[in-house]
Amino acid sequence: MADKEQLPGTENSGVTRRGIIQSALLAGAGGAAGSVPGLITPSAQAAVAAPTSLDAGSVDSMPDFTVGSAALTPDRLAMSACQFCNSNCRLEISLKLGRILAIRGEKRDPVQDGNLCVKAPMMAELVYSPLRLTKPLRRVAGHKGGPDSRFEPISWDGALDIIARRWLELRDSGEARAIANRTTGRLPRGTGALASRVFALLGSPNDTDVGPVCNDAGGNALAATFGLGNFTNGYGVDPSTGKEDLGSARFFLFLGTNQGETHPVTFAHLLRCRQRSGARLVVVDPRRTPTAVLADQWIAPKPHTDLAIVLAMLHHIITTNRHDSNFVNRWVLGFEDLRKHLTTHGYSPEWAASITGVPASVIRQLAIDYATKRPAAIFCNAGISHQLGAFDTYRALAMLAAVTGNIGTPGGGCNFMHNTWPGALNLPDLKVTPPDRGPALPVGPDTFAESILNGRPYRLKAVMTEGNPLISSANTGKVREAFAKLDFYVYTGLFMEEAAYYADVILPVCSGLEFEGVYMRRDDRAIRWQEAAVARVGEARSDIEVWIDLAHALGRNDRRNGSSYWTDAFPKEWRSFPALWDVFVANTPGMAGMTRERLRTRPEPLRWPCPSTKHPGVSTLYLDHPSWYEAALSLDSSNRGKRFLTPSGKIEITTPDLERRLTPSGHSALPVFYTHPEVTGAHPTIAYEDRYIANPINPQALTQPVRLGVPGSDAVHQQFPLMGMTGRPSVVHFASVTHWTPTGEQLNGIRLVQIHPTTAKKLGISDGDEVVVESPRGQVSGTALIDAGIRQDTVYVPNTFGPAQRVGDVYGDPRYEPANTLIDDRLYDNLSGQQAYKCFACRVRKK
């Protein structure tokens, strides 16, 4: 392990494997390691119908008394995949008479190393939940969203015909664009391609995905700089070189990512590699998370000020000539422009210290360490994505990797999490000419509400979602008002979530263990084949089947185009996922080697791009190696001989073309500093123009131009003196779905609002007090968690709680208002659509 040093504004901590196993579940950030393991060994996982065993260590000392038990000897094993985070763990599911006996991790995968976190058994709890939706339903009475809402069962054909007729009525009246859909990360891979095909045939541009809620900004920035919008490096050994990729890093820089709780199994792999290599780990986060506990250094800036730190690092590296001049001269465009930009604006460590609260000496040392301890890997997650300057912050980070030569090399890269793989799954071209669709609504998860309520830039009348916008969207009160006024709403899901009470039609879908498919949430573009482990609950259908069946319902109700317009585009055989996957492989660039036969036989996932069955798949994007050039060519014939897949074939910090593209939106190729207006200190911020233009990053959609660097004001802090952040409560939690499990409610059923002891003392709040957090948008309640692992000027409010989650009633858990009630939906990244969940002015009081 590398030597540790104590720096001003930092805290250091050692690491053991036992430590990561025990500390990853701590919801508070900074207490001693508890007894609840974040990672559990296969032997710790007993029958999963019962609550999860929490003490893996004690079980290891006992024999496994299930061995030899006739009742507990499985008659079938199914290989599936956990779908609660991007670690993409393989699940070995033991079954008896179709019922799940145990869930174990894949030992033959060196990255997974047999491990699973506490969430894996919760996959089975979803299957067996008595609260599952089991039949299609239609509204028969009550106000939308109201407790008097009443629904009755209906056949699948009846439900789909209702949807088809309403959508076709809008299309035939010239209002196809008034129909919208929003997908989510829980869907079987490929569902989005089917939904897009339906919307192309309808003539609506408003088929959107979960990216603006997760991490579109990271992918947008990577694509603009390097050519592909994907996580650049891989976990484990790169088969092309036979060498460890991310595990070979000598320096890990984590900004806004708490992998101990969000990616526990892949993070454990990095920690094992770090024990061998002595790599330094630095965590930049306003909270001392379980990840920060394991770091060599924790740096705690003000929320929403990461861009200042990155600009100052660039300034110090370049002005002290610590950049990689050989790499820059050969592969980077715009370096001298960047140097001039940084010095002209005075983006020095001293300047950044005045904004972030991090000492200049700490920023300088961070810059030196990153530039000299090579290879160095950057990891980011929602802490960066959920900022209104997300695109510009990610662009600055990409520049940081570029000028130090930390791109296209094992152990380096820009590993921005939650990037969708591979960006699109292609189907054969349509045999008909679809109608012109016009511009989509502005990119972002909350423009639906503005469109419904105010008709800006035009009005939505029919919406279908595969997620829960009543939890995920900012300014939840406004979203609730909008969905109450929406003419026609279709909800698809597992449970009667908050959004379902606003629906006209409800469609029940399968959980992850009930369908065959591929799972590709691991950030490094790696995918697994998953078998259907259990029979489907009730009449639930997979989302793949829902969209194909909806297309056929549109066909039998379409009097203008006839049924073949739809049925020819959606062959019935595509309802079988293996057949559909063969179509994707045949039509998507870079996928020829990802056949179902190959995927089924692999204990490890396979990474895209993979142009042939003999190709090992790409671990390190842009690696100067024949395997990369072969893969790049398979993506586009214009990539022949290119290392970087930009128009120039080089890393593009700034070019005239990029500048021309970004200028109309108010941005520049070279980022200028601005931050959220509710960050304390009245820093330069943002102003939105009252008009719409084509989005230069997402040209199919509209966006509002902005003015950057406008003077900020501290007026809001006269009444709301603190800064709030939202995020998940612990490793137990994923989106809103795990709160529908007994384990989720048992371990995370109480919203713990993290407050620094000094702040709590001033407010007269004690640990365990019931508190109310108020912002200019509304208020939510919770229980005070007094913990020194957070800035004194910041409070942390766990999200994803909601009033409909009935499973907590057995524990007496409150039904909380969504945390996103506190967020200002008007503040967003106008390029990627990312909402600013990571800062809001607030105050806290005892309830």
Side-chain angles (χ1 to χ4, degrees):
M1 185 65 63
D3 292 336
K4 300 179 176 64
E5 58 185 305
Q6 186 72 33
L7 294 174
T10 68
E11 293 189 42
N12 299 304
S13 176
V15 56
T16 64
R17 180 157 181 172
R18 177 79 174 170
I20 176 59
I21 290 176
Q22 290 191 327
S23 66
L25 255 182
L26 292 177
S35 61
V36 181
L39 300 175
I40 53 177
T41 63
S43 59
Q45 177 51 54
V48 295
T52 306
S53 172
L54 297 181
D55 190 355
S58 63
V59 178
D60 288 341
S61 62
M62 294 177 62
D64 183 353
F65 294 117
T66 66
V67 175
S69 167
L72 296 180
T73 299
D75 56 29
R76 184 168 78 92
L77 293 178
M79 294 301 181
S80 187
C82 185
Q83 299 179 22
F84 284 142
C85 83
N86 282 23
S87 291
N88 193 14
C89 295
R90 194 180 201 192
L91 305 181
E92 180 188 279
I93 301 175
S94 300
L95 298 117
K96 187 82 165 183
L97 300 177
R99 297 187 180 184
I100 298 172
L101 297 177
I103 296 178
R104 295 180 173 87
E106 176 59 80
K107 295 180 180 179
R108 295 172 296 170
D109 179 350
V111 174
Q112 186 176 354
D113 196 31
N115 286 310
L116 296 171
C117 86
V118 68
K119 291 189 294 295
M122 297 159 76
M123 294 280 291
E125 293 183 28
L126 292 180
V127 173
Y128 297 126
S129 171
L131 300 178
R132 281 283 298 276
L133 290 167
T134 60
K135 296 177 180 294
L137 303 171
R138 67 177 175 184
R139 176 177 293 276
V140 294
H143 298 88
K144 288 195 172 185
D148 61 342
S149 292
R150 297 290 181 269
F151 302 88
E152 69 177 13
I154 187 174
S155 70
W156 267 100
D157 282 352
L160 296 175
D161 282 339
I162 291 173
I163 300 167
R165 287 193 289 267
R166 290 297 293 269
W167 286 9
L168 291 170
E169 286 172 8
L170 287 168
R171 183 204 66 181
D172 292 345
S173 64
E175 293 192 275
R177 70 179 185 178
I179 309 167
N181 180 68
R182 191 165 101 193
T183 59
T184 183
R186 73 157 173 79
L187 298 177
R189 301 307 96 184
T191 305
L194 297 171
S196 294
R197 200 171 179 87
V198 168
F199 271 68
L201 291 171
L202 272 174
S204 171
N206 290 311
D207 171 41
T208 64
D209 63 24
V210 74
V213 177
C214 290
N215 191 22
D216 266 5
N220 295 154
L222 290 171
T225 312
F226 306 124
L228 289 178
N230 299 93
F231 199 93
T232 61
N233 289 65
Y235 297 103
V237 172
D238 182 349
S240 295
T241 63
K243 297 178 180 179
E244 190 78 33
D245 190 351
L246 281 170
S248 67
R250 303 297 302 227
F251 188 86
F252 292 105
L253 176 58
F254 284 19
L255 298 100
T257 178
N258 174 18
Q259 291 189 50
E261 295 187 314
T262 61
H263 295 69
V265 173
T266 49
F267 183 46
H269 165 72
L270 295 181
L271 292 176
R272 293 194 299 273
C273 294
R274 176 177 170 238
Q275 286 180 318
R276 296 191 296 268
S277 68
R280 184 169 176 79
L281 170 61
V282 176
V283 172
V284 181
D285 197 307
R287 295 193 309 136
R288 189 172 184 257
T289 63
T291 307
V293 168
L294 296 166
D296 297 287
Q297 184 180 9
W298 168 47
I299 298 173
K302 283 185 181 181
H304 242 83
T305 63
D306 301 84
L307 179 55
I309 290 178
V310 181
L311 290 171
M313 290 177 66
L314 280 166
H315 182 283
H316 190 67
I317 289 168
I318 292 174
T319 58
T320 60
N321 293 316
R322 287 185 167 90
H323 59 282
D324 186 334
S325 57
N326 290 332
F327 185 86
V328 166
N329 291 338
R330 185 176 181 188
W331 295 111
V332 177
L333 294 181
F335 175 79
E336 290 302 328
D337 294 304
L338 175 62
R339 181 199 294 270
K340 181 179 179 180
H341 176 78
L342 295 167
T343 55
T344 300
H345 284 81
Y347 289 147
S348 66
E350 287 73 19
W351 162 83
S354 68
I355 293 169
T356 65
V358 178
S361 60
V362 173
I363 298 173
R364 280 194 295 271
Q365 189 61 53
L366 178 62
I368 293 169
D369 286 348
Y370 175 77
T372 58
K373 298 180 184 297
R374 296 175 54 187
I378 301 172
F379 285 81
C380 301
N381 204 343
I384 301 299
S385 299
H386 294 166
Q387 299 188 23
L388 60 83
F391 175 80
D392 287 320
T393 304
Y394 277 124
R395 275 275 291 159
L397 285 163
M399 295 174 193
L400 188 65
V403 302
T404 56
N406 277 304
I407 194 71
T409 184
C414 295
N415 304 291
F416 303 158
M417 296 182 163
H418 287 292
N419 292 324
T420 301
W421 177 91
L425 288 169
N426 294 350
L427 295 168
D429 291 341
L430 290 168
K431 297 177 181 178
V432 298
T433 302
D436 178 53
R437 296 199 277 176
L441 291 174
V443 176
D446 305 296
T447 55
F448 281 18
E450 184 67 19
S451 173
I452 295 164
L453 291 173
N454 301 315
R456 286 171 46 88
Y458 52 82
R459 193 176 304 279
L460 286 180
K461 296 185 177 180
V463 173
M464 180 168 171
T465 70
E466 291 77 35
N468 184 3
L470 272 298
I471 293 293
S472 63
S473 297
N475 197 352
T476 309
K478 178 179 177 180
V479 177
R480 183 182 294 133
E481 179 187 358
F483 275 74
K485 294 181 178 179
L486 181 62
D487 292 354
F488 183 68
Y489 174 47
V490 180
Y491 167 81
T492 73
L494 298 169
F495 303 101
M496 283 295 293
E497 296 182 289
E498 290 76 12
Y501 289 91
Y502 292 80
D504 297 280
V505 175
I506 297 171
L507 303 178
V509 297
C510 298
S511 72
L513 298 186
E514 296 166 53
F515 61 81
E516 185 176 25
V518 298
Y519 192 62
M520 39 194 171
R521 294 293 298 277
R522 181 182 283 179
D523 303 278
D524 61 343
R525 299 161 275 107
I527 70 170
R528 294 186 186 277
W529 194 270
Q530 63 179 71
E531 299 173 346
V534 295
R536 296 176 178 187
V537 171
E539 298 178 20
R541 294 185 182 180
S542 77
D543 294 272
I544 294 285
E545 295 162 352
V546 169
W547 281 97
I548 294 172
D549 294 345
L550 177 56
H552 282 254
L554 287 160
R556 61 178 175 262
N557 287 279
D558 191 342
R559 302 294 176 258
R560 176 193 292 180
N561 295 317
S563 62
S564 62
Y565 178 81
W566 298 94
T567 57
D568 288 352
F570 291 90
K572 280 281 190 179
E573 56 264 28
W574 288 2
R575 294 180 92 252
S576 168
F577 190 85
L580 180 61
W581 183 252
D582 290 348
V583 174
F584 286 141
V585 169
N587 289 275
T588 304
M591 278 186 60
M594 309 190 85
T595 64
R596 51 174 153 150
E597 294 80 7
R598 190 178 186 193
L599 292 174
R600 278 173 165 158
T601 59
R602 290 176 60 90
E604 297 180 69
L606 182 64
R607 280 183 282 258
W608 175 90
C610 182
S612 73
T613 53
K614 294 183 179 180
H615 194 281
V618 174
S619 183
T620 304
L621 294 180
Y622 319 116
L623 181 66
D624 193 6
H625 189 277
S627 65
W628 163 243
Y629 291 108
E630 179 187 354
L633 182 61
S634 75
L635 300 178
D636 194 301
S637 59
S638 66
N639 290 337
R640 183 177 300 278
K642 281 187 176 182
R643 182 175 181 184
F644 297 96
L645 306 189
T646 58
S648 65
K650 296 185 177 183
I651 297 169
E652 297 186 351
I653 287 179
T654 181
T655 66
D657 179 65
L658 185 56
E659 190 67 31
R660 281 193 297 268
R661 285 173 55 201
L662 292 174
T663 296
S665 67
H667 295 260
S668 170
L670 298 172
V672 298
F673 177 74
Y674 59 101
T675 189
H676 196 288
E678 295 182 9
V679 172
T680 57
H683 304 294
T685 186
I686 193 170
Y688 299 84
E689 297 185 25
D690 190 20
R691 62 188 179 94
Y692 294 95
I693 63 169
N695 188 320
I697 297 300
N698 295 283
Q700 80 287 354
L702 300 172
T703 193
Q704 290 177 270
V706 297
R707 288 182 294 117
L708 302 180
V710 299
S713 168
D714 246 354
V716 68
H717 294 113
Q718 294 176 14
Q719 296 186 47
F720 301 93
L722 299 171
M723 293 175 289
M725 299 168 56
T726 65
R728 73 172 69 194
S730 80
V731 69
V732 176
H733 213 74
F734 181 75
S736 61
V737 70
T738 51
H739 257 271
W740 287 92
T741 67
T743 299
E745 282 291 337
Q746 176 189 338
L747 298 179
N748 268 164
I750 302 298
R751 172 183 280 151
L752 298 174
V753 178
Q754 190 176 353
I755 311 170
H756 192 277
T758 301
T759 305
K761 185 176 181 180
K762 291 178 181 178
L763 298 173
I765 294 173
S766 300
D767 197 47
D769 282 348
E770 295 302 301
V771 296
V772 174
V773 182
E774 299 173 296
S775 83
R777 273 70 57 186
Q779 63 181 44
V780 302
S781 60
T783 300
L785 173 65
I786 311 304
D787 190 287
I790 192 168
R791 290 178 57 95
Q792 293 184 27
D793 55 10
T794 304
V795 298
Y796 185 75
V797 183
N799 61 19
T800 67
F801 296 82
Q805 290 164 328
R806 292 167 47 201
V807 71
D809 294 352
V810 70
Y811 300 100
D813 294 344
R815 294 205 189 180
Y816 296 101
E817 283 297 297
N820 289 338
T821 299
L822 304 168
I823 308 297
D824 191 339
D825 62 309
R826 298 170 299 174
L827 297 168
Y828 70 103
D829 178 357
N830 71 319
L831 295 175
S832 68
Q834 302 281 182
Q835 290 285 312
Y837 298 110
K838 294 305 182 186
C839 188
F840 54 90
C842 66
R843 60 192 178 209
V844 185
R845 59 175 172 83
K846 289 179 67 172
K847 192 170 182 179

